[in-house]
Amino acid sequence: MSSLDAMKRGIVSQPGDLSKYYYELQSNTPLEPTRTIFTGSGDSYSAALFASELSNGISQAFDPYELSKKIWLTKGKRIVIISVSGKTKTNVELATKLKRKTRAVVAVTSDPRSPLALKCHDTLVLNYQRGSVPTAGTSSYTSSLLACAFLLGKLPKELDSSKRLAKAWDWAEKATTQSIPSSLTIIGSGLEYALGYYGGLKFNEVLGMTATCQYPEEFGHAYLFSVKKTDVLVCLNPDHDHKTRAVFEALRRSDFRTLKIQSQSRDPVLRGIELAFHFQCFAYNLGRRKGLKECAYISNKKRLRLSNGLIS
């Protein structure tokens, strides 16, 4: 099985995985959001940003290396370190440094025996189907969103993600009818920015494409001048945020290639999962249109070795 096939399998397995994990989480106890800092790298940093937004900014989100340089901020706090593998060197070093300095260090990881979990006071295990073929993170990420929601006492009253995934596939099919973009810019505010950060990473990993996420206010200050007409600009929930809507309408009137992802979910956790589905399906469909069999990060062996050296 190719890594792109494995990605699709991960995408379609999510409704079942998330439903099962959702019910497992019900029997546990949340944390106190006012005294919590979330941290993680890559997809997990996006999940940390999501957690901060879910708490309305009461909980903080940090890159783990940056947090390690500001240890005084962790005094009296619970630190949640999100890492799917539990092996990232910076996370393990941070947990080691914090264990005697904070109220509690909690690992959110898929491996309860990982180096990270063994350095923490407590572990919340991510539960999802793990394939045998390495691929871009899908279920691992949406499970992390549920884990963060649980820790903050913000799990939705019910979880049925099948229709949301079907909607994302439909949107992605329509979004890939035009020519393949040269790069992607995602524009969103608040929780949408957190999910847009994840979306950019999927395009980096799967397509080897330049992709970034911008706040709507920041987009027009300087970044706009680097955007090409062959790029695609994706605005997140513009109908629910006046600044994002203003940017979307202005770009459309100026003949830029614009798309919007509009979620009808009022619950922020369901909205986050739905947005994640859209980015996963979009990246996968574009990969197929480009004729890829492997995700870009898998096929570029030299870059993969460099990446492994930087993070392990």
Side-chain angles (χ1 to χ4, degrees):
M1 178 185 292
S2 73
S3 57
L4 208 59
D5 290 333
M7 182 184 182
K8 184 175 183 182
R9 177 173 288 187
I11 294 171
V12 300
S13 72
Q14 285 174 110
D17 285 351
L18 293 174
S19 180
K20 181 180 178 181
Y21 191 45
Y22 172 78
Y23 287 109
E24 285 181 9
L25 291 171
Q26 303 289 339
S27 60
N28 291 283
T29 305
L31 299 177
E32 182 185 350
T34 54
R35 304 184 69 81
T36 304
I37 294 175
F38 289 83
T39 185
S41 304
D43 288 2
S44 297
Y45 179 60
S46 170
L49 291 172
F50 169 83
S52 179
E53 291 296 337
L54 195 58
S55 73
N56 290 317
I58 295 172
S59 294
Q60 296 172 285
F62 277 94
D63 169 274
Y65 177 70
E66 297 304 317
L67 184 59
S68 72
K69 295 166 67 177
K70 303 175 180 68
I71 290 296
W72 62 88
L73 293 176
T74 68
K75 185 178 180 180
K77 301 286 183 70
R78 288 186 180 92
I79 311 302
V80 177
I81 304 177
I82 310 165
S83 174
V84 175
S85 71
K87 297 177 181 178
T88 303
K89 182 180 178 181
T90 303
N91 290 331
V92 177
E93 290 176 346
L94 178 63
T96 304
K97 188 180 292 188
L98 290 176
K99 195 167 184 180
R100 294 184 180 180
K101 296 179 179 293
T102 62
R103 293 177 62 188
V105 186
V106 180
V108 176
T109 180
S110 65
D111 183 0
R113 302 300 299 170
S114 65
L116 175 64
L118 296 176
K119 291 292 184 180
C120 292
H121 296 105
D122 200 4
T123 300
L124 178 60
V125 179
L126 298 170
N127 192 355
Y128 59 93
Q129 293 183 50
R130 296 165 188 78
S132 58
V133 177
T135 189
T138 54
S139 291
S140 58
Y141 177 74
T142 48
S143 296
S144 297
L145 298 187
L146 273 190
C148 290
F150 156 72
L151 290 171
L152 294 170
K154 297 281 189 179
L155 282 175
K157 293 181 179 179
E158 58 182 1
L159 179 67
D160 181 3
S161 54
S162 298
K163 291 181 179 178
R164 290 179 171 82
L165 181 55
K167 177 183 175 182
W169 279 122
D170 289 343
W171 179 88
E173 288 290 340
K174 295 172 184 174
T176 52
T177 56
Q178 300 184 41
S179 59
I180 296 171
S182 54
S183 72
L184 184 82
T185 301
I186 303 161
I187 301 166
S189 176
L191 185 142
E192 278 68 23
Y193 177 86
L195 270 295
Y197 187 93
Y198 168 76
L201 296 180
K202 293 309 99 179
F203 281 81
N204 298 154
E205 289 177 335
V206 178
L207 300 160
M209 179 186 292
T210 300
T212 187
C213 187
Q214 298 284 319
Y215 287 112
E217 173 62 23
E218 296 303 315
F219 175 80
H221 281 265
Y223 188 82
L224 172 62
F225 296 95
S226 69
V227 177
K228 304 177 181 64
K229 292 290 186 178
T230 53
D231 296 348
V232 165
L233 304 159
V234 182
C235 293
L236 305 183
N237 281 330
D239 294 353
H240 294 163
D241 181 79
H242 76 278
K243 186 70 178 182
T244 307
R245 182 171 62 251
V247 171
F248 175 73
E249 295 297 342
L251 291 171
R252 189 167 60 172
R253 288 194 299 269
S254 298
D255 295 324
F256 283 98
R257 291 180 62 184
T258 55
L259 295 169
K260 70 175 178 177
I261 302 175
Q262 190 66 51
S263 170
Q264 301 304 318
S265 299
R266 295 193 174 209
D267 184 280
V269 180
L270 297 178
R271 192 165 83 244
I273 289 171
E274 187 174 334
L275 292 173
F277 286 170
H278 278 72
F279 288 124
Q280 293 167 6
C281 296
F282 193 21
Y284 171 81
N285 278 5
L286 278 179
R288 283 299 186 213
R289 274 208 62 196
K290 286 186 72 174
L292 301 180
K293 291 185 178 180
E294 303 292 347
C295 296
Y297 88 97
I298 296 291
S299 60
N300 193 330
K301 303 298 184 184
K302 185 176 181 180
R303 292 281 179 93
L304 182 58
R305 286 194 297 271
L306 177 59
S307 173
N308 289 336
L310 290 172
I311 66 178
S312 61

